[in-house]
Amino acid sequence: MKRKLLIAAASLSVFSLGALAQVGHRPFGPGPAVIVGGPGFEHPHARAEIDDRLMRQDRSIDKALQEDRISAERAMNLHAQDDDIARRTRRLAEFHGGYLSPDDVRMLNHDLDEVSREIGPDIW
């Protein structure tokens, strides 16, 4: 059963990445730069940092799964949580004209910290 879940998760990941590569889309890449915002808003790099953290966390989940530190079901759940954070990041940035407010950055980092704790320590 565990092997079937692992194969299903791996197939889904490979299929998703292949489809994204065909259209030239980064899964968590920053959107177009928009010069909007004003006092109280973070530099656009704040969004890029969140996106980079999501990509690193994605790799950590895959690594933990390969090392049998988490189950395939748990890995799928953690990927779903990361996908939710990525969606919220895009929506918040769209709402603020391409920027994230300091409160948005704080909230997103807090959510990423929670998921990171669930993955466990990354042993390089």
Side-chain angles (χ1 to χ4, degrees), residues 2 6 9-10 13-14 58-72 75 79 119 122-124:
K2 184 177 179 182
L6 181 61
S13 295
V14 170
D58 184 58
R59 285 192 303 265
S60 293
I61 294 168
D62 292 340
K63 183 177 179 183
L65 178 62
Q66 287 176 342
E67 296 172 352
D68 286 331
R69 290 188 285 133
I70 60 174
S71 68
H79 280 301
I119 298 169
D122 227 2
I123 303 166
W124 295 97

Side-chain angles (χ1 to χ4, degrees), residues 18-116:
L20 291 173
Q22 288 177 349
V23 296
H25 174 73
R26 279 183 54 195
F28 304 110
V34 178
I35 310 301
V36 179
F41 285 87
E42 293 289 327
H43 195 272
H45 291 294
R47 181 171 176 201
E49 290 169 7
I50 297 286
D51 291 337
D52 288 342
R53 188 167 175 199
L54 280 163
M55 285 191 289
R56 284 192 311 273
Q57 201 155 281
D58 184 58
R59 285 192 303 265
S60 293
I61 294 168
D62 292 340
K63 183 177 179 183
L65 178 62
Q66 287 176 342
E67 296 172 352
D68 286 331
R69 290 188 285 133
I70 60 174
S71 68
E73 183 179 355
R74 187 75 192 124
M76 289 189 326
N77 183 296
L78 292 169
H79 280 301
Q81 290 179 38
D82 270 358
D83 290 345
D84 180 57
I85 294 169
R87 265 191 303 280
R88 286 189 291 132
T89 301
R90 283 191 301 272
R91 273 193 243 126
L92 289 167
E94 287 171 7
F95 180 76
H96 296 300
Y99 289 85
L100 293 172
S101 73
D103 289 337
D104 295 340
V105 172
R106 219 175 351 269
M107 176 193 63
L108 293 167
N109 275 316
H110 174 76
D111 294 345
L112 285 165
D113 289 343
E114 287 181 355
V115 175
S116 182

